[in-house]
């Protein structure tokens, strides 16, 4: 009697659960039907090829449903990932994670978003900014059994002319008229055997400081200034593996070699153990009134021009500040140890923006004299 009672109760519970699950299934299916994407991937293939001496990777994504809108992006925290987001598109039966050749790109990831868009993420070996890529659509090929498809082609590197084409159109602001004839020494921090600080994604301080300094030199020279650089390539100033004192003295010697040189500007990237540290700062030697004016003018211009957080213009006993025979400042542009600021420091557009700010500060300094 008791066993029969429990069996009946169990069957009732199971029937209720089955009915409830069925309702859920019907509701879910209906939701999926209503939200079904208009396009769907139905094919994937990749290959490598060589064109004009440069290696390329070609990714082909077959798309059912015809032409599809898309947008590309590179996110600040992941500069080596190219995102191509296809609107109103489902992944279909194409795998979500695909290993690639690993020479140009490591893998392809497909992720469906809640808004029916599909994020096609290509993880590259280098920052996207250093690799040329193009995206286009190809018509079906009956003989090759290829459907209508999106093609993403990525080169192993970017040519100099391709970098040049991406630079801002306005390369030398003509507002710095008061710089003509002034003699300025630029000191790109580190170089050669000394990489300086290194960001989490591999950007080296010596690379960023040289790029920024070259932009500064171009703008200053375009404004009529006479510019001396302690280094204009990836090299040591004193020599490979020199002591810190010898290397720093060699930089000071470049500036002090001519009595006509008026200011010494050393350009660096900051770093700290915590990736949350951020912002920009400038330094001057405590007993140098002119050095303080120079540091404050450049600092304010950087904050105004770039939007970086201000850490202030402060005194310091850095070797190049103490031993330069002219007003000197050392600029810590931003934190290379901060993920977001590392991405900015590696961005040619931001490097140029920093350079304009530094030149604006230098211009302001000479106006105050």
């Amino acid at each position: 009697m008791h066993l029969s009672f429990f069996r009946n109760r169990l069957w009732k519970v199971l029937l209720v659960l089955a009915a409830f699950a069925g309702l859920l299934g019907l509701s879910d299916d209906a939701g999926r039907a209503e939200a079904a994407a208009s396009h769907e991937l139905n094919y994937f293939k990749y290959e490598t090829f060589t064109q004009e001496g440069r290696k390329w990777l070609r990714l082909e994504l077959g798309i059912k449903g015809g032409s599809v809108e898309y947008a590309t992006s590179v996110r600040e925290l992941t500069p080596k990932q190219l995102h191509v987001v296809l609107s109103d598109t489902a992944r279909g039966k194409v795998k979500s994670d695909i290993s690639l050749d690993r020479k140009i790109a490591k893998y392809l990831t497909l992720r469906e978003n809640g808004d029916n868009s599909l994020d096609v993420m290509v993880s590259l070996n280098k920052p996207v900014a250093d690799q040329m890529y193009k995206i286009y659509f190809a018509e079906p090929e009956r003989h090759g059994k290829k459907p209508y498809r999106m093609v993403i082609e990525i080169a192993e590197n970017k040519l100099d002319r391709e970098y040049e084409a991406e630079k801002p159109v306005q390369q030398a602001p003509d507002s710095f008229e008061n710089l003509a004839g002034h003699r300025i020494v630029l000191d790109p921090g580190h170089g050669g055997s000394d990489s300086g600080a290194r960001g989490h994604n591999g950007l080296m301080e010596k690379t960023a400081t040289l790029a920024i300094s070259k932009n500064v030199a171009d703008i200053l020279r375009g404004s009529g200034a006479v510019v001396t650089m302690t280094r204009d390539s990836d090299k040591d100033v004193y020599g490979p593996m020199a002591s810190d004192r010898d290397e720093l003295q060699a930089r000071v010697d470049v500036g002090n070699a001519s009595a006509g040189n008026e200011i010494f500007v050393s350009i660096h990237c900051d770093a700290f153990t915590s990736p949350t540290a951020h912002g920009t700062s400038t330094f001057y030697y405590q007993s140098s009134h002119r050095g303080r004016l120079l540091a404050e003018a450049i600092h304010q211009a950087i904050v105004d021009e770039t939007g970086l957080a201000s850490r202030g213009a402060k005194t310091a006993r850095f070797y190049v500040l103490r031993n330069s025979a002219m007003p000197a400042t050392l600029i810590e542009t931003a934190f290379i140890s901060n993920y977001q600021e590392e991405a900015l420091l590696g961005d040619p557009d931001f490097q140029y923006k920093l350079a304009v700010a530094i030149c604006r500060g230098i211009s302001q300094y000479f106006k105050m004299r």
Side-chain angles (χ1 to χ4, degrees), residues 29-51:
D29 289 343
R32 282 197 294 268
E34 291 175 2
S38 302
H39 307 276
E40 184 178 87
L41 300 189
N42 58 6
Y43 171 91
F44 173 76
K45 181 181 179 180
Y46 84 87
E47 61 183 350
T48 57
F49 64 97
T50 301
Q51 188 176 65

Side-chain angles (χ1 to χ4, degrees), residues 178-186 220-221 223-229 254-265 294 325-328 362 365-366 369:
N178 63 311
L179 292 178
H182 287 294
R183 303 181 66 88
I184 299 162
V185 181
L186 296 180
L220 292 177
R221 286 169 178 151
S223 300
V226 178
V227 179
T228 300
M229 298 183 70
V254 172
N256 293 346
S258 173
N261 289 335
E262 297 172 78
I263 60 172
F264 185 99
V265 179
L294 177 62
M326 68 204 79
I362 292 172
Y365 165 78
F366 284 118
R369 290 188 56 182

Side-chain angles (χ1 to χ4, degrees), residues 50-341:
T50 301
Q51 188 176 65
E52 296 179 353
R54 184 165 47 162
K55 292 181 180 178
W56 291 76
L57 171 68
R58 179 185 290 127
L59 309 175
E60 297 187 2
L61 293 164
I63 300 176
K64 181 181 179 182
S67 179
V68 60
E69 295 183 355
Y70 71 93
T72 62
S73 66
V74 180
R75 297 165 189 174
E76 287 186 351
L77 298 181
T78 52
K80 294 183 181 180
Q81 293 177 353
L82 172 65
H83 292 265
V84 183
V85 180
L86 309 181
S87 63
D88 200 15
T89 304
R91 178 170 60 86
K93 294 183 179 180
V94 177
K95 291 181 180 180
S96 59
D97 297 281
I98 302 171
S99 295
L100 299 176
D101 72 316
R102 307 193 74 83
K103 295 178 181 178
I104 295 175
K106 297 178 181 178
Y107 50 85
L108 175 75
T109 304
L110 304 175
R111 292 289 182 266
E112 292 179 331
N113 302 318
D115 60 354
N116 259 1
S117 64
L118 180 68
D119 187 358
V120 179
M121 184 185 76
V122 187
S123 296
L124 306 172
N125 291 340
K126 301 177 183 177
V128 178
D130 292 331
Q131 291 187 253
M132 181 63 182
Y133 71 89
K134 51 188 175 181
I135 300 173
Y136 59 92
F137 290 94
E139 294 299 322
E141 294 181 13
R142 188 174 299 176
H143 297 296
K145 296 182 179 180
K146 293 184 177 183
Y148 179 82
R149 60 207 183 277
M150 169 181 272
V151 182
I152 305 173
E153 293 183 346
I154 307 168
E156 62 181 339
N157 54 27
K158 189 174 288 185
L159 304 178
D160 288 343
R161 56 181 168 80
E162 291 164 347
Y163 280 113
E164 289 296 324
E166 293 178 351
K167 283 189 176 181
V169 174
Q170 186 180 7
Q171 287 296 300
D174 57 5
S175 57
F176 304 132
E177 297 175 356
N178 63 311
L179 292 178
H182 287 294
R183 303 181 66 88
I184 299 162
V185 181
L186 296 180
D187 174 39
H190 307 279
S193 60
D194 177 13
S195 66
R198 186 186 294 263
H200 297 282
N201 287 305
L203 178 64
M204 292 182 287
E205 183 178 2
K206 68 175 183 177
T207 304
T209 59
L210 182 59
I212 295 165
S213 298
K214 282 185 172 182
N215 282 326
V216 173
D218 288 345
I219 296 169
L220 292 177
R221 286 169 178 151
S223 300
V226 178
V227 179
T228 300
M229 298 183 70
T230 59
R231 68 179 181 98
D232 56 10
S233 62
D234 183 17
K235 65 179 183 182
D236 300 270
V237 179
Y238 182 89
M241 310 308 293
S243 67
D244 289 345
R245 188 186 185 287
D246 285 342
E247 177 65 18
L248 294 172
Q249 184 59 50
R251 292 167 187 265
V252 169
D253 290 343
V254 172
N256 293 346
S258 173
N261 289 335
E262 297 172 78
I263 60 172
F264 185 99
V265 179
S266 188
I267 298 174
H268 287 256
C269 303
D270 218 335
F272 192 61
T273 53
S274 170
T276 60
H278 65 287
T280 185
S281 52
T282 54
F283 296 88
Y284 59 94
Y285 192 50
Q286 186 172 8
S287 62
S288 175
H289 173 66
R290 291 288 181 190
R292 178 177 65 81
L293 294 178
L294 177 62
E296 290 176 344
I298 292 176
H299 181 76
Q300 192 59 53
I302 291 176
V303 172
D304 292 343
E305 190 86 25
T306 67
L308 289 168
S310 171
R311 297 175 69 90
K314 300 173 278 191
T315 62
R317 290 182 54 80
F318 296 137
Y319 192 95
V320 295
L321 301 182
R322 286 187 288 117
N323 294 281
S324 290
M326 68 204 79
T329 184
L330 187 145
I331 306 167
E332 295 285 11
T333 52
F335 276 81
I336 201 169
S337 54
N338 177 291
Y339 287 97
Q340 292 180 325
E341 293 189 354

Side-chain angles (χ1 to χ4, degrees), residues 17-38:
L17 290 174
F20 185 63
L23 287 172
L24 285 177
L26 288 172
S27 173
D28 189 46
D29 289 343
R32 282 197 294 268
E34 291 175 2
S38 302

